[in-house]
Amino acid sequence: MKILRSIGAWLDDRLGISDTVMPLARHLVPPGAKWSYVFGSAALFCLILQVVTGLALTLLYQPTSSEAYQSLQFITHQAVFGRTLRAIHYFGASGMVLLVGVHMMRVYITASYKFPREMSWISGVFLLFLTLAMGFTGQLLRWDSNGVWSAVVAAEQVGRIPVVGTYVARLLLGGDTIGGQSLSRFYSYHTLLFPGLLLGLVGFHLYLVIRNGVSEPPVAGRPVDPKTYRQWYQAMLKKVGVPFWPTAAWRDTLFGAIVILSIFGLALLYGPPELTTPPSPATINTNPAPDWYLLPVFALFALMPAKIESYVIFIGPILTVIGLLALPFVSNAGERSPLRRPWAVFGSLCVVVFVGALLLLGEQAPWSPKFTAQPLTAGLVHSSDPQVVAGSALFYNKGCLYCHLIDGHGGRRGPELTEVGRRLTPGELEIRIVNGGGNMPAYGGVVSKKELAALVAFLGTRK
Amino acid sequence: MSETDNTAPGPTAEDEPRRDFLVKLSLGLGGVAALAVGVPVVSAVLAPLLQADPQTWRKVGTLADFDIGSTHLVKFENANPVAWSGVSSESAAWLRRDSATAFTAFSVNCAHLGCPVRWEPGAGLFMCPCHGGIYYKDGTVAAGPPPRGLTQYHIRVSGHDVELLTAPIPITDITAS
């Protein structure tokens, strides 16, 4: 016992745990923060989880364009607990994106970014984008056909930057096509460059929490005045402050543990996302789509007017970054309570609804041709007229069913045609098929007169 | 002790040029060291911009492989694959035989955001699964968000072989549309 105690005392003297670390752990925080303050620390727990599981994955992963796919098959199907490991890393990424978003929303709604915490917000904005960059590059490291096409899509997006776009795209892919050089770059970004920046910035973000203190829960009618705030805050801490550890930290620890256990549970239950086909850029029968947290962006690209798209792809992110960075300077004083800032709350709700709606739409992707549509069955055609039957076959064969819905079968890009025979005369149908219009190709050059008559006959029976 | 010790030699006017020299020397040498290390590091980062991007004629089939009027997916290898490329060095193109000697080859990359377009023979259209870009068989835009038509590859017939000139992934720039 005595020896242990003297070893402890020696370590404490040399490391300065009592002198330096404990005062930090016990620094005073405002009381009453309760559960709304746990999301930032939970995001940090997720980051640590990602670092640890990511490190374990690098022990099993082969970061070369030719072997990554096989090594992922090995991790998923052969390595001891490899499947669970991959799944934790996948759900951990989702958890981190989600918690970073909720944390940011909480900070905005309670205006914790105001004086003197402007730099906390600014470092947080960079952390948000680094988190998304990690999510994107990580999804790409799966290096199946989906990963390969994600890399192409990424290159195409940066390609819209004026003047230097093509060069940036080449830097991203490591050359002018996908190849042996491509994955190495993304691997380096995902495991070295971005994590390095991320961990450094997280350290800075936490340092600022110690320096400026945790923001107190806002009270309506007690605005922030930069002239007196610091003095008031210190006096308040002295009077009613509680030590962070253990009085305030137990909620962070408990919530963090629940988050980690939930991620583990989801990982066991659902496993990692299945790999698609091997990473040959010549495998074109794929349906590239990003993981859920980037689906809103994917949906936005489908829905915005094509004319402004090149500009939006390029200017949109710049404006978003500038707007987010400007926020704590535009409003760094005044009311913090959401009760006195209804527009801030309304704005946050709008963002949630907007992003949520885009996410749902991205999930359904109604703008994509439904390649999996099956030919209409005889029961659905319900006619023995040979011309009508031929028309129904043509309706599938010419790709019409990919975009038009008939009795619940088909795609949703174009108008539903279940009852088109009531709406349009045969003449009107002919004009639309031949000329197209809106988002429909002109089929005039594709169908013969006879085929056109059969299609019109078939559609005429849809009443 | 040091507080009361005024006899220790402090900086004097004679030291000024010497100190100035040493500061400049350390900064200068530091700069040279950073530059020496920086050149290879920056070269590794910028390597894709420094290499030439070669283009190579690749055989994609013989005349007998393609019927007149039909459209085929052809696979070929990149111009300069590295040893560890594996299947990722493959590329593909849509090849149509227009006549006995004339061919047209389209990039499989949608001009919108680069996703792989599929040829739908019945419809006579190229369709993209990502954001619903659709092209006529001549590669012009039929529907959806692509700001321009499909890019074409150079193609030639050499003896009985059909050859295609490899090309970079077509990047749509902001000037399109």
Side-chain angles (χ1 to χ4, degrees):
Chain A
M1 249 356 248
K2 213 178 155 195
I3 293 177
L4 279 183
R5 202 169 299 142
S6 68
I7 291 176
W10 186 89
L11 279 175
D12 190 37
D13 175 68
R14 300 303 192 277
L15 300 177
I17 292 167
S18 303
D19 288 348
T20 318
V21 181
M22 286 321 285
L24 281 181
R26 294 218 179 91
H27 76 277
L28 295 181
V29 298
K34 300 272 167 73
W35 291 102
S36 65
Y37 279 39
V38 297
F39 302 111
S41 59
L44 177 61
F45 279 117
C46 280
L47 173 61
I48 296 168
L49 180 74
Q50 292 306 88
V51 170
V52 174
T53 51
L55 190 82
L57 282 169
T58 61
L59 302 180
L60 306 166
Y61 182 74
Q62 294 294 319
T64 66
S65 297
S66 60
E67 279 151 355
Y69 184 78
Q70 279 77 12
S71 75
L72 268 164
Q73 294 285 10
F74 168 76
I75 293 171
T76 314
H77 300 297
Q78 277 168 274
V80 182
F81 286 113
R83 189 184 157 75
T84 315
L85 185 64
R86 243 198 87 198
I88 295 175
H89 200 67
Y90 169 74
F91 283 104
S94 298
M96 192 169 155
V97 172
L98 200 64
L99 287 163
V100 164
V102 175
H103 174 55
M104 191 174 176
M105 200 67 89
R106 196 280 295 163
V107 166
Y108 179 68
I109 287 177
T110 62
S112 300
Y113 57 83
K114 291 190 174 180
F115 179 89
R117 302 185 180 84
E118 297 94 335
M119 285 310 290
S120 294
W121 174 267
I122 286 175
S123 53
V125 169
F126 286 107
L127 284 171
L128 169 75
F129 284 104
L130 276 173
T131 304
L132 293 175
M134 283 298 278
F136 183 72
T137 48
Q139 173 199 320
L140 207 148
L141 291 194
R142 273 174 231 154
W143 213 239
D144 50 4
S145 54
N146 206 345
V148 165
W149 288 107
S150 299
V152 175
V153 171
E156 290 283 348
Q157 278 174 49
V158 298
R160 304 283 177 100
I161 302 170
V163 189
V164 295
T166 314
Y167 300 108
V168 182
R170 286 199 61 170
L171 278 179
L172 201 67
L173 295 179
D176 56 11
T177 54
I178 291 280
Q181 72 288 349
S182 302
L183 183 61
S184 318
R185 295 212 151 227
F186 287 106
Y187 183 71
S188 176
Y189 302 149
H190 185 76
T191 62
L192 298 167
L193 181 62
F194 293 155
L197 294 173
L198 199 57
L199 290 175
L201 262 177
V202 165
F204 179 61
H205 202 66
L206 292 178
Y207 155 78
L208 289 175
V209 172
I210 301 283
R211 173 171 163 79
N212 296 318
V214 177
S215 68
E216 75 285 359
V219 173
R222 199 178 62 205
V224 172
D225 178 358
K227 283 203 192 87
T228 57
Y229 179 82
R230 276 213 154 104
Q231 218 176 352
W232 172 86
Y233 182 81
Q234 291 305 330
M236 179 271 295
L237 273 195
K238 248 183 211 145
K239 218 159 60 185
V240 296
V242 295
F244 173 70
W245 180 264
T247 314
W250 70 268
R251 284 195 183 84
D252 295 81
T253 316
L254 180 62
F255 183 71
I258 291 172
V259 165
I260 303 277
L261 284 174
S262 310
I263 288 169
F264 183 69
L266 287 169
L268 280 187
L269 205 61
Y270 295 104
E274 221 30 80
L275 295 175
T276 61
T277 46
S280 164
T283 303
I284 62 148
N285 276 325
T286 59
N287 197 353
D291 284 344
W292 68 267
Y293 39 84
L294 289 172
L295 269 180
V297 180
F298 179 79
L300 199 61
F301 286 151
L303 294 174
M304 76 176 117
K307 276 202 163 55
I308 61 165
E309 188 173 58
S310 283
Y311 301 94
V312 175
I313 291 178
F314 156 61
I315 298 168
I318 296 179
L319 285 184
T320 311
V321 172
I322 290 177
L324 287 172
L325 293 183
L327 171 71
F329 301 105
V330 174
S331 84
N332 81 325
E335 283 286 349
R336 281 189 50 211
S337 168
L339 297 173
R340 297 283 172 91
R341 294 164 55 247
W343 286 107
V345 177
F346 177 72
S348 307
L349 269 178
C350 287
V351 170
V352 171
V353 169
F354 182 62
V355 174
L358 284 178
L359 174 61
L360 277 180
L361 272 172
E363 202 72 65
Q364 296 160 358
W367 50 79
S368 289
K370 194 175 176 191
F371 294 109
T372 53
Q374 293 300 315
L376 294 169
T377 58
L380 285 167
V381 178
H382 58 73
S383 168
S384 51
D385 180 343
Q387 198 186 25
V388 171
V389 173
S392 80
L394 282 168
F395 192 77
Y396 170 76
N397 188 253
K398 298 289 176 192
C400 313
L401 199 58
Y402 291 170
C403 297
H404 293 286
L405 202 64
I406 285 191
D407 285 324
H409 296 262
R412 292 171 188 274
R413 171 157 197 149
E416 178 171 353
L417 299 183
T418 307
E419 295 178 342
V420 69
R422 276 189 210 166
R423 287 202 311 272
L424 301 175
T425 64
E428 288 170 329
L429 280 169
E430 256 180 48
I431 289 171
R432 299 216 175 179
I433 295 171
V434 170
N435 294 331
N439 250 327
M440 177 164 158
Y443 273 84
V446 180
V447 292
S448 67
K449 264 220 149 77
K450 200 177 142 200
E451 288 173 331
L452 182 63
L455 273 169
V456 169
F458 164 67
L459 290 173
T461 64
R462 302 295 104 190
K463 288 180 179 167
Chain B
M1 177 197 154
S2 61
E3 283 172 33
T4 53
D5 186 3
N6 292 327
T7 58
T12 58
E14 294 97 86
D15 282 340
E16 197 76 27
R18 186 168 163 268
R19 220 165 351 105
D20 198 41
F21 169 74
L22 288 174
V23 167
K24 279 182 183 153
L25 178 72
S26 60
L27 286 180
L29 271 182
V32 171
L35 202 66
V37 178
V39 168
V41 170
V42 172
S43 303
V45 174
L46 299 183
L49 301 183
L50 305 174
Q51 306 151 346
D53 45 359
Q55 289 185 299
T56 313
W57 287 99
R58 296 274 193 220
K59 181 184 165 184
V60 293
T62 59
L63 283 175
D65 296 334
F66 308 108
D67 299 328
I68 291 174
S70 65
T71 305
H72 301 261
L73 183 72
V74 291
K75 295 184 183 184
F76 53 94
E77 194 175 40
N78 279 341
N80 56 341
V82 291
W84 56 92
S85 297
V87 290
S88 68
S89 69
E90 289 178 344
S91 287
W94 287 110
L95 180 73
R96 190 177 57 235
R97 184 167 187 182
D98 300 309
S99 69
T101 54
F103 287 84
T104 315
F106 296 102
S107 160
V108 296
N109 297 103
C110 179
H112 180 224
L113 286 175
C115 285
V117 294
R118 308 176 190 196
W119 169 248
E120 291 292 324
L125 298 165
F126 295 100
M127 296 187 181
C128 179
C130 282
H131 299 99
I134 297 178
Y135 305 83
Y136 293 115
K137 70 176 185 180
D138 64 355
T140 54
V141 180
R148 58 169 174 77
L150 290 173
T151 306
Q152 292 194 20
Y153 286 95
H154 291 289
I155 198 102
R156 71 178 184 194
V157 179
S158 162
H160 287 289
D161 293 342
V162 180
E163 293 182 339
L164 174 149
L165 185 63
T166 60
I169 293 176
I171 302 285
T172 300
D173 64 26
I174 199 163
T175 55
S177 87

